Each structure stands twice: as structure tokens, then as C-alpha cells.
Amino acid sequence: MRPTTRSLSRPYMAVAIALTTLSTPIHCFAPIARPASPTAQASSTSLNAIGVFVRKAKEADVRKYCEEGPSESVLALYKQIKDASNDDATTNEVGELQTLLTKRKGTITVIAEYKRKLDGSGFLAEIPAPELLSPVFREFGAAAVAVLADDRTGGCSYDDVVVMVEEQQEAMGEVPGPLPVISSEMIVDEIQIAQAADAGVKAVTVTYGVVGAEKVTQFIKDAKALGLEVIVNVGSAEEAQGAVDAGASIISVCGVDGADNKYEVIESLSVPEGRSVCTIANILAKDNKALEEVEEAWVCRDKGFNCVWVSDALYKSGNDPVEHPGAIINSMKAKSSVKYASPKARSGKGEGAREYLGDIMM
């Protein structure tokens, strides 16, 4: 299908606005008062390494939401979940999102996460609105978009999810078409799954270390009842196997730094015959101005991961116009070898890397 004049003008206008903002020199943004550190930030996985106190806070939020009265549309979806609660969670069917995230061997797909709160230095102090970044994610090749729908950790709400869904739907019938939107939240109750479905998402995330195997199975059933897929966040080989045994078809290795350590989580995974499991490597952002995350994505690809989930690293700002979310997505997808190319332009290491990233953009 050939792109229409409208498909060329509207998305690229939004892309141009966003890129103008994101390519503005770093000194034009309010700096974050924190010393630079080479350590990895929890970034999008801050929901996965949190502990019991934040979980209790989320449960309190859910109780308050229920006391205030969910909308009729959410309650109808909640009833639909309850009516289908006896369905089996395990299935050999491959969902739409899993298909989009799983490409041929030697390639990697990218989930771009939108959030408003960032930790560490070297990042933008203010993130553009979701309607501006949404087309950037699409035009530069992300396979899906996630929204960190938790005010404490991501600074976003379901209003941002709805905006992202609506902007993506505006690309229906165009090239590229709309991306599926994922609600990245700490799910502790079925009502949140109904709320996410009401916002129009295609998938939700569930954290194995927070809810345990029994709840993972239940939430997969609940999501299936509403036509949603589930990405199960895991942090160890035991959790990964437990998630698969509980019925997960998509697992995301979170809170684990380094490609080698991530690979150890899935290396010995046993998948029942007839089922397929999509593996995602959640790339932790380094608290510096280098682009080591791109190289880590390439290593994860070479180790057999199907997809990378990238969050804070998308928002590293700099003086070079190629350093923006679209360029980072594009470079992570590039069929490049860590032996012959280096993305570390901002660190001053890897001579010629800046030209290389520019070539990817063209």
C-alpha cells in the first residue's frame, strides 16, 4: 500500500516537532541535580524491583479506585472477566503482539516505553507529550509502544494510555500502520486489567516476583477473556520457568544488568512441545551520556532474544541531532555487529560512531 499525502504530512509534522524538541542542546533543558554515574538505572523496570511497600501502595490505590466507582464500561469488562474465570490460561496459539515481536533469527524488535519521570543525569528533564512521541516511535520502527501507567514510577496515568492509543489509531490504513499499545503497570487486581482493556491496549504486564505463579495464571486467564496478551516480567531463571509453567507466552527479563546475565535467565528455559515463548530483554539505562544500551541490544539479539524493551535510554539528550528516540530505536534494530560498529558516540569512545548513527538514520 502506497502512503497517502495525509500519511506523509501528519505523522512527519509530529515527528519534526518532537525531534526539534529532542535535538535541542542539553544546556537548554533544566539539568537534573545528580552526579553522573556509570551504574545502570532501573528505568522501566522500576516496577519490577520494588518490594512489598510499593505493592501495598498499589493495592491501596486500587481499593480507592474501586471505592470511587469505576466507569460502567470498566465494570462491564470486569464482569466479562468473572464470567470467563474458569477458562484455561495455557494455549498454543500465538497472539498478535507475540507475532509482531518475534521475527526471524538474527533480528531484534523494539518496544518503546513512554514515561514522564526519569532518574539519573544525562536525560531530558521534560518529556514531550505522548501525542508527539507516539508517531516518532511508529515512524522509526518500534514494534510496539508501552506506557508506564503508574504515577509514582512513571508519572503517567491511563489518560496517557488513551492518548497513545488514539494517536496510533489515526495511522490506520497508512504506512506504517498503528502500533499495539501495552499498559506497563503493576497489576495486583483483575479490575486493572479491565481498566487497561477499556483504555484500548493490546497487552498488559504482570510481574512474577510481585504476584507469584498462581496469580500469573489467573491474570493470564483474565486478560485472555478480554482479548489481551500478557507480558510476564521475570528476574531469574526460576521465575522465567515458573512463568512459562503458569502459561506465559511472552516473558521479559527485567532488573538484570548486562546481556550475559539476562541470557542466563532464559538459557535453560524448558518450553512444552507445541508452544512458543517470546523472550524480551529489558535494557537498563546507564546513568551517563554514552549509548552503551544500543550495543547491549545487539548482544541480546545475537544471544537469541526476540525483542528489547527500552525506556529511559530513549530520552538521553545531546547536542547531536541523531541522538533522539527514533535514532536509538533505529540503531537498536540495525543488523550491526559489536565487532565492527560502536554506538558509543557520546562517551568519546569509538571513533566514527557518530557518523555511523547518522548513516542509520538516512
Side-chain angles (χ1 to χ4, degrees):
M1 178 184 297
R2 291 177 59 85
T4 63
T5 302
R6 175 177 172 273
S7 68
L8 287 171
S9 60
R10 181 192 51 74
Y12 282 102
M13 183 177 296
V15 171
I17 295 171
L19 298 193
T20 299
T21 304
L22 292 169
S23 60
T24 303
I26 184 67
H27 58 75
C28 293
F29 297 94
I32 299 175
R34 169 179 285 185
S37 167
T39 58
Q41 296 295 315
S43 66
S44 62
T45 63
S46 53
L47 286 178
N48 313 313
I50 43 180
V52 65
F53 295 110
V54 179
R55 188 183 78 173
K56 292 293 185 183
K58 175 56 67 174
E59 290 171 346
D61 289 344
V62 172
R63 284 195 298 272
K64 181 180 179 182
Y65 171 72
C66 292
E67 290 169 358
E68 291 175 348
S71 66
E72 291 185 7
S73 57
V74 171
L75 290 175
L77 291 168
Y78 182 72
K79 182 177 184 302
Q80 190 174 329
I81 288 175
K82 290 301 184 183
D83 291 342
S85 60
N86 293 325
D87 290 352
D88 186 11
T90 305
T91 178
N92 293 340
E93 297 178 3
V94 178
E96 178 185 355
L97 178 64
Q98 184 178 354
T99 300
L100 289 172
L101 299 182
T102 310
K103 300 300 182 183
R104 66 183 182 278
K105 186 177 180 180
T107 61
I108 198 89
T109 56
V110 176
I111 296 173
E113 183 176 69
Y114 179 80
K115 61 190 298 189
R116 293 182 184 274
K117 287 183 179 178
L118 300 174
D119 296 320
S121 61
F123 304 105
L124 293 179
E126 184 176 352
I127 305 301
E131 60 268 27
L132 292 180
L133 282 182
S134 179
V136 175
F137 297 152
R138 180 174 64 251
E139 295 295 333
F140 284 91
V145 178
V147 179
L148 186 49
D150 183 275
D151 182 64
R152 289 186 181 86
T153 54
C156 295
S157 68
Y158 277 100
D159 291 338
D160 295 300
V161 176
V162 171
V163 169
M164 193 72 74
V165 169
E166 290 178 348
E167 195 290 321
Q168 289 296 332
Q169 288 306 307
E170 289 180 13
M172 186 70 70
E174 300 178 356
V175 179
L179 302 181
V181 178
I182 302 162
S183 175
S184 175
E185 190 192 6
M186 186 201 299
I187 301 292
V188 295
D189 191 274
E190 298 96 325
I191 194 69
Q192 294 168 278
I193 297 175
Q195 190 179 10
D198 187 57
V201 305
K202 298 296 184 182
V204 296
T205 59
V206 172
T207 303
Y208 188 95
V210 170
V211 300
E214 185 176 343
K215 280 292 188 180
V216 167
T217 299
Q218 184 59 54
F219 290 153
I220 291 174
K221 291 179 182 179
D222 297 338
K224 181 182 176 184
L226 301 182
L228 303 184
E229 295 176 66
V230 174
I231 298 173
V232 180
N233 298 324
V234 299
S236 68
E238 292 75 19
E239 289 185 0
Q241 190 61 58
V244 171
D245 294 343
S249 296
I250 311 175
I251 60 173
S252 178
V253 179
C254 299
V256 178
D257 192 23
D260 291 338
N261 294 330
K262 288 179 174 66
Y263 179 65
E264 288 179 2
V265 175
I266 65 166
E267 183 178 12
S268 302
L269 200 61
S270 176
V271 180
E273 185 177 355
R275 286 180 58 196
S276 61
V277 174
C278 173
T279 55
I280 302 170
N282 194 303
I283 304 296
L284 298 178
K286 308 295 184 182
D287 193 5
N288 57 38
K289 298 178 182 178
L291 293 173
E292 302 162 57
E293 299 88 352
V294 174
E295 185 172 309
E296 184 177 339
W298 296 345
V299 176
C300 288
R301 173 203 62 199
D302 294 342
K303 286 184 174 295
F305 278 95
N306 303 115
C307 176
V308 291
W309 183 302
V310 59
S311 181
D312 288 35
L314 291 174
Y315 309 107
K316 286 190 170 183
S317 62
N319 297 316
D320 196 310
V322 304
E323 293 172 5
H324 63 79
I328 293 171
I329 292 169
N330 226 357
S331 57
M332 285 183 169
K333 292 174 55 188
K335 299 176 183 178
S336 300
S337 167
V338 294
K339 181 177 180 181
Y340 299 110
S342 172
K344 299 177 183 177
R346 292 303 309 283
S347 66
K349 303 173 184 177
E351 184 177 352
R354 204 172 280 197
E355 288 74 20
Y356 170 70
L357 282 175
D359 290 342
I360 290 177
M361 287 285 298
M362 296 177 64

